[in-house]
Amino acid sequence: MHQVKLAENIYYLGFNDRRTHLFENIWPIPYGISYNSYLIVDEKIALVDTVERQFIDDYIGRIEAIIGNRQVDYLVINHMEPDHSGALKAIMAHYPGITLVGNKKTFGFVESFYATPANIYEVNDNSTLSLGKTKLQFQTIPMVHWPETMVSYEETNKILFSGDAFGSYGTLDGGVFDDEINLGFYEVEVMRYFTNIVGKYCPHTQRAISKLAPLDIKMIAATHGPIWRSDLNWVLSRYNKWSSYDTEKGVVIVYGSMYGNTQKMAEAIARQLSVRGIKNIRVYDASKTHSSYIINDIFKYKGFIVGSCAYNNALFPNVETLLSTIEHMAPKNHYLGIFGNFSWNGGGVKNLMVFAEKIKWELVAPPVEEKGSLKEACYNECIGLADAMAEKLLNE
Ligand code: FEO
């Protein structure tokens, strides 16, 4: 069987998942995802992370195809989320002498998810593990994106096994390394993976980037997506930008509309933004587009304008769900605009203002609200809202 190698004695053992619709049962993965595990063969043999449990049989088969009946000595656990630890129990059963390598928090999760491990090797920052001529060094990167997350640095080939950090949605369709694929395809999927999964922890990601900066890294092998070896800056610079909330001049407009009146307000605002010279404008119907994509664009663009019709005197439910996700992710450094529509007593705009108070983004203009169909006075207020947003963005 064809083997993919990162170095003479280091193998890629990943699997492509094209069946799962929702990653973490939340986030759409129309292009699938890969679960990447790695095998280091030396005087001692080590696995770095495992794979999702559906692949257990093939996973063990691929390990045996490389090492035959030799035993795996160590399982390095950079991250305990079950998409990577899913095969842990099977590996422990298959290789009963195996030693689990992790930090104090790792073993707490191993115990709560699976079982008390027989053999452990507890590591912390700068701890090392020698496998023969191969030496691993460990650094914790807490909350990128779980408490126990750490990375393992292989000193000979200068490979960073980075866990979820620098990972991507999207299966590896033949090409595994960044120089074997068209990165244009992964551009959105790398960012969506970051914003959906890691984005809540931007300050922690910044701390991790600083902590890893002294390492001389030639290759980054994450637990999802391509292995980076030809242009590490491609992914490093993007992670640095996104995790520092460095947004571009642009506006995301999201609306919830039952019969089109709130949508008409969104269209008027979008057109005026364009007239004022804003080129990056994305308009989304909250009932149609999954928050995964909207959150992604909110991380990308500085302006956010949200509109809701009233629904039973409250927010339109799909807008409410989106706003709850935004509050959860809490991206910073945005300008905010608010608009809405009602038929009876309102409820949309009133509750959008509650969101504004909580998220603490700068409100660029008073909220705009219409009763029933969009009429001239309110249309002009929509234009005023767009002008205020455009001026904020253009004057930066
Ligand atoms: Fe890919 Fe956080 O697991």
Side-chain angles (χ1 to χ4, degrees):
M1 189 178 172
H2 184 72
Q3 304 291 0
V4 178
K5 288 184 172 187
L6 285 69
E8 189 49 40
N9 65 328
I10 302 179
Y11 297 80
Y12 170 74
L13 286 181
F15 287 85
N16 287 316
D17 180 357
R18 296 186 182 86
R19 291 192 176 190
T20 302
H21 289 268
L22 296 174
F23 185 68
E24 294 185 339
N25 210 19
I26 305 174
W27 309 106
I29 43 172
Y31 303 109
I33 194 161
S34 70
Y35 309 104
N36 303 344
S37 167
Y38 303 93
L39 181 71
I40 305 173
V41 182
D42 204 323
E43 289 165 28
K44 298 287 185 185
I45 295 177
L47 279 168
V48 181
D49 291 311
T50 70
V51 292
E52 220 267 341
R53 71 179 63 190
Q54 64 179 302
F55 301 105
I56 284 172
D57 289 345
D58 285 346
Y59 180 57
I60 291 175
R62 280 173 60 183
I63 295 168
E64 289 181 335
I66 296 168
I67 64 171
N69 59 9
R70 283 184 69 186
Q71 296 294 295
V72 176
D73 300 287
Y74 296 102
L75 169 57
V76 176
I77 306 170
N78 285 328
H79 183 27
M80 268 300 296
E81 194 165 6
D83 52 329
H84 309 295
S85 67
L88 189 147
K89 212 168 168 180
I91 288 292
M92 284 166 70
H94 199 77
Y95 299 108
I98 198 166
T99 296
L100 304 192
V101 181
N103 57 67
K104 200 178 183 65
K105 289 186 175 134
T106 314
F107 298 124
F109 284 122
V110 172
E111 194 135 349
S112 59
F113 272 104
Y114 303 108
T116 306
N119 310 304
I120 63 167
Y121 179 63
E122 188 174 314
V123 300
N124 210 326
D125 288 340
N126 302 313
S127 299
T128 58
L129 172 67
S130 175
L131 304 173
K133 57 183 190 302
T134 312
K135 195 158 125 191
L136 294 172
Q137 182 204 125
F138 305 97
Q139 300 292 339
T140 59
I141 52 164
M143 300 318 298
V144 183
H145 66 120
W146 273 30
E148 87 301 359
T149 42
M150 64 180 203
V151 298
S152 309
Y153 176 68
E154 190 274 321
E155 294 184 353
T156 306
N157 301 285
K158 306 185 191 308
I159 301 169
L160 183 75
F161 297 102
S162 64
D164 278 353
F166 314 114
S168 178
Y169 293 141
T171 50
L172 296 173
D173 298 343
V176 172
F177 297 93
D178 59 350
D179 47 279
E180 297 177 334
I181 58 184
N182 184 343
L183 280 181
F185 168 78
Y186 289 95
E187 177 94 50
V188 174
E189 295 301 81
V190 170
M191 184 172 187
R192 216 160 54 82
Y193 188 82
F194 173 81
T195 58
N196 294 181
I197 307 299
V198 183
K200 180 175 172 58
Y201 302 104
C202 286
H204 305 81
T205 306
Q206 280 285 300
R207 281 197 279 280
I209 289 171
S210 301
K211 189 172 186 176
L212 300 178
L215 295 176
D216 179 16
I217 301 168
K218 299 288 186 222
M219 196 182 299
I220 298 175
T223 43
H224 303 285
I227 297 171
W228 311 97
R229 70 177 177 190
S230 68
D231 180 10
L232 303 194
N233 194 47
W234 191 97
V235 71
L236 289 171
S237 61
R238 281 166 172 76
Y239 256 67
N240 193 32
K241 178 181 163 76
W242 301 330
S243 61
S244 54
Y245 303 112
D246 182 3
T247 48
E248 297 169 25
K249 243 184 251 304
V251 182
V252 178
I253 303 172
V254 183
Y255 64 86
S257 182
M258 280 185 287
Y259 298 108
N261 291 312
T262 312
Q263 179 182 352
K264 279 184 188 148
M265 299 172 80
E267 304 284 9
I269 293 165
R271 179 60 199 153
Q272 182 63 12
L273 284 167
S274 176
V275 167
R276 291 296 304 268
I278 303 297
K279 290 201 163 56
N280 296 308
I281 305 165
R282 303 301 320 150
V283 181
Y284 292 113
D285 184 328
S287 298
K288 170 84 181 291
T289 304
H290 194 283
S291 59
S292 166
Y293 298 91
I294 300 173
I295 283 281
N296 202 57
D297 277 350
I298 290 173
F299 267 85
K300 196 183 290 182
Y301 300 123
K302 184 148 191 175
F304 179 63
I305 303 181
V306 58
S308 177
C309 60
Y311 192 86
N312 294 333
N313 295 327
L315 277 174
F316 188 65
N318 291 353
V319 172
E320 190 169 19
T321 302
L322 171 69
L323 297 186
S324 142
T325 307
I326 294 171
E327 280 174 37
H328 177 82
M329 296 298 189
K332 303 204 179 344
N333 193 25
H334 284 79
Y335 295 130
L336 178 64
I338 283 172
F339 66 99
N341 195 294
F342 67 101
S343 306
W344 321 333
N345 301 318
V349 163
K350 183 174 79 182
N351 285 295
L352 289 177
M353 290 303 287
V354 173
F355 165 76
E357 278 166 31
K358 283 197 257 182
I359 201 78
K360 295 186 170 39
W361 294 344
E362 184 180 341
L363 205 56
V364 298
V368 178
E369 190 167 33
E370 177 63 285
K371 181 171 185 178
S373 62
L374 179 58
K375 294 170 276 294
E376 190 172 352
C378 188
Y379 171 84
N380 289 332
E381 288 179 36
C382 289
I383 300 303
L385 170 57
D387 283 340
M389 178 63 81
E391 272 158 34
K392 280 283 181 192
L393 293 171
L394 296 171
N395 288 331
E396 285 211 316

